[in-house]
Amino acid sequence: MSPGAPQEDVPGEGESARDEVLQPQQEREEAGEQEEDDGVEVEEEEEEEAPTHLPFAPPSELLDDVTTVDPSYTISLIRQLLPQGSNVEKEFSAKQGAPEEKGENSDNGESAQLENKDPWEECGCILWDLAASKPQAELMMNNLVLEVLLANLHVTQSPRVKEICIGIMGNLACHESLVNAISMQNGLITTVVDQLFLDDSACLSETFRFLAAVLRSSASISWAEALLPDEILSRVLWIVGNTLNSTLLEKSIDFLSTVIDNQDVTAILLQPLIKVGLTDHVISLLASEIEKISDVSKFDRSASLDLILHFIEELSATDSCLEVMSSSDQLIQVLDKIIKLPDKFEVSSYCASAVMILANLLADGKHIVPSLSHGGSHFMKNASYHLKITFMLSQYFGLFVLSDLPFLEGLFDILPLVCDDNQARNALWCILARLLAQTQGIDMNSSSLKHFVSLLLGKFALIKDDLESHRVDKEVELSAEDAYFKHGVSTSLSTICCIMERWIAEKSSLSEEEAAPPESAIENARKLLNYCQNYDM
């Protein structure tokens, strides 16, 4: 594809732009830009994609054929990228001398590959690949590659050229030993950060990939400080919330996850990000993606949804974000929708993340007593922050009045999906314990009790399969995680026992004329009761 292809116009940040912003450069450069009747550009398959480069350099043993490339060939590739008449061209010539005349076989067969292709782009893509090799990356660094790339970024208007330059830098930054030298290059940090204000999705994807790499490195602090201005952070969140390009969404979410994963970076950037609306942006994005699940024709970013949920899970584990998230009606509604999804095996990873997020939200109100249900508006008016959070959650999830049994049923249905994920499984049992314990303080009528017992009997097999397949070795000292899990299970089973005992006693006293349930139903209830009473971890 031509590096000089025209750029597509994008709406300003004040517009509703989710359906037309930041389309990939490759899509814009297809022959004949087609448009639908409503003026929205139709996405087309490109005939020849630019190479995809992973954010981390592969192991050196996989690059034997690359590391044996003649250094003079690599240097000749850098020479091909020199902007004509630039200062760096003169510096390069002074360092390397005039280029040698090539012999018949001195081009390693590249002349055939360059035919009918843009030489700059072809050489740039080869360097992009070579930069994944540490020896080649070191060779490039010693031969002014950063100066050459920066010079190109300053003079070019081509999105493709910018993408390749940032892509090469991204691969160079994957080598920890080179990151400090990269970061100290005069003007490089400012130039890279400025690329965030481009409107090309391929350039933005590479910029986020590069930034994620340097934020994982020993030079992270200087880069984090460069990202501090509100204008930059707001631009980052605007891109996350408005792009339709899956690659760009994934790279931008990965960048934000890196901010959370690095404590030094978190200390610098997390509060400023919250200030400009981090939690609201990602929750709105999650809600938008969840809406598409029911429409297969629209739901084409399952990997992106996984990343979004995992990132929100990370946010929910941080105190400063948890406070904002716990007061989000939209987040609670989205979690409710995920838990109630009918075909959970197809979205098992979503359910695991939803369970972890919900567990973190509920942890804020673990000291709440069931009596909270008796004074709704009074408590909402006078209770502490944590009381308010838990009461709000109860309104959506039926924690106190059992008005939302499908939600509880959805939680039980997740048990087999998290059987191999100890963290999510432990969180799920502790959520169940919290929900079931609320029934202890409620005076249920016969109808409510009947429906609740029916649900528990229907999920008995799931409960039994999960507990039998995860017995804890009694001879091994319990870890804190196992103790937490054991408490959740014992609380849940104890509550189930109380419910079954009450129902059995109530129904056993009824005569046939009073519509007593069939003996088989009472027998099944006794089996569940007996299992819960005798279960020993």
Side-chain angles (χ1 to χ4, degrees), residues 136-325:
Q136 288 292 322
E138 291 172 342
L139 174 65
M140 293 179 200
M141 291 285 290
N142 290 331
N143 286 277
L144 305 179
V145 72
L146 289 180
E147 289 85 347
V148 172
L149 296 175
L150 278 173
N152 277 285
L153 287 173
H154 289 151
V155 301
T156 187
Q157 296 300 313
S158 165
R160 179 63 172 148
V161 171
K162 290 178 181 287
E163 176 196 359
I164 292 172
C165 288
I166 304 167
I168 295 170
M169 290 183 185
N171 276 4
L172 294 172
C174 291
H175 307 291
E176 175 64 31
S177 60
L178 303 180
V179 174
N180 282 330
I182 292 171
S183 303
M184 293 173 64
Q185 180 68 37
N186 186 37
L188 187 141
I189 292 180
T190 300
T191 301
V192 171
V193 172
D194 285 346
Q195 307 311 304
L196 290 171
F197 293 90
L198 297 173
D199 290 327
D200 180 79
S201 61
C203 295
L204 289 169
S205 295
E206 288 306 314
T207 302
F208 279 118
R209 183 175 75 90
F210 176 86
L211 290 172
V214 293
L215 289 183
R216 293 186 184 103
S217 73
S218 57
S220 60
I221 292 178
S222 59
W223 286 92
E225 290 172 345
L227 292 166
L228 263 175
D230 286 353
E231 181 187 16
I232 294 171
L233 297 180
S234 295
R235 172 64 177 175
V236 169
L237 296 183
W238 185 82
I239 293 169
V240 171
N242 287 277
T243 182
L244 288 177
N245 182 267
S246 296
T247 301
L248 176 53
L249 180 61
E250 290 167 17
K251 298 301 181 187
S252 57
I253 292 292
D254 181 58
F255 162 78
L256 290 174
S257 292
T258 305
V259 171
I260 303 300
D261 293 339
N262 185 323
Q263 290 184 354
D264 292 334
V265 177
T266 300
I268 296 171
L269 290 180
L270 183 56
Q271 284 299 335
L273 277 167
I274 293 173
K275 175 187 171 185
V276 296
L278 171 64
T279 52
D280 289 339
H281 274 80
V282 293
I283 290 171
S284 294
L285 179 61
L286 174 62
S288 175
E289 293 296 308
I290 290 296
E291 284 298 322
K292 300 175 185 176
I293 288 183
S294 57
D295 189 340
V296 178
S297 65
K298 293 181 180 178
F299 187 61
D300 57 355
R301 303 203 296 188
S302 57
S304 300
L305 181 53
D306 260 336
L307 280 174
I308 296 166
L309 274 166
H310 181 68
F311 178 61
I312 292 179
E313 180 184 332
E314 289 182 304
L315 288 180
S316 71
T318 64
D319 292 338
S320 51
C321 289
L322 183 59
E323 180 175 349
V324 180
M325 294 170 70

Side-chain angles (χ1 to χ4, degrees), residues 373 394-408 432 434-445 447-453 455-456 495 499 502:
S373 62
S394 75
Q395 287 184 308
Y396 285 102
F397 300 140
L399 301 190
F400 303 110
V401 296
L402 300 175
S403 60
D404 198 5
L405 287 180
F407 180 79
L408 188 60
L432 288 169
R434 292 287 310 282
L435 303 187
L436 292 170
Q438 303 305 325
T439 65
Q440 298 289 72
I442 297 175
D443 185 18
M444 285 185 282
N445 59 37
S447 176
S448 296
L449 183 61
K450 175 185 175 181
H451 286 101
F452 197 60
V453 168
L455 185 154
L456 293 175
T495 304
I499 294 168
R502 175 181 168 183

Side-chain angles (χ1 to χ4, degrees), residues 27 30-36 39-44:
E27 293 173 3
E30 290 299 317
E33 295 183 353
Q34 295 181 341
E35 295 187 354
E36 295 179 342
V40 178
E41 182 178 345
V42 178
E43 294 186 5
E44 299 176 325

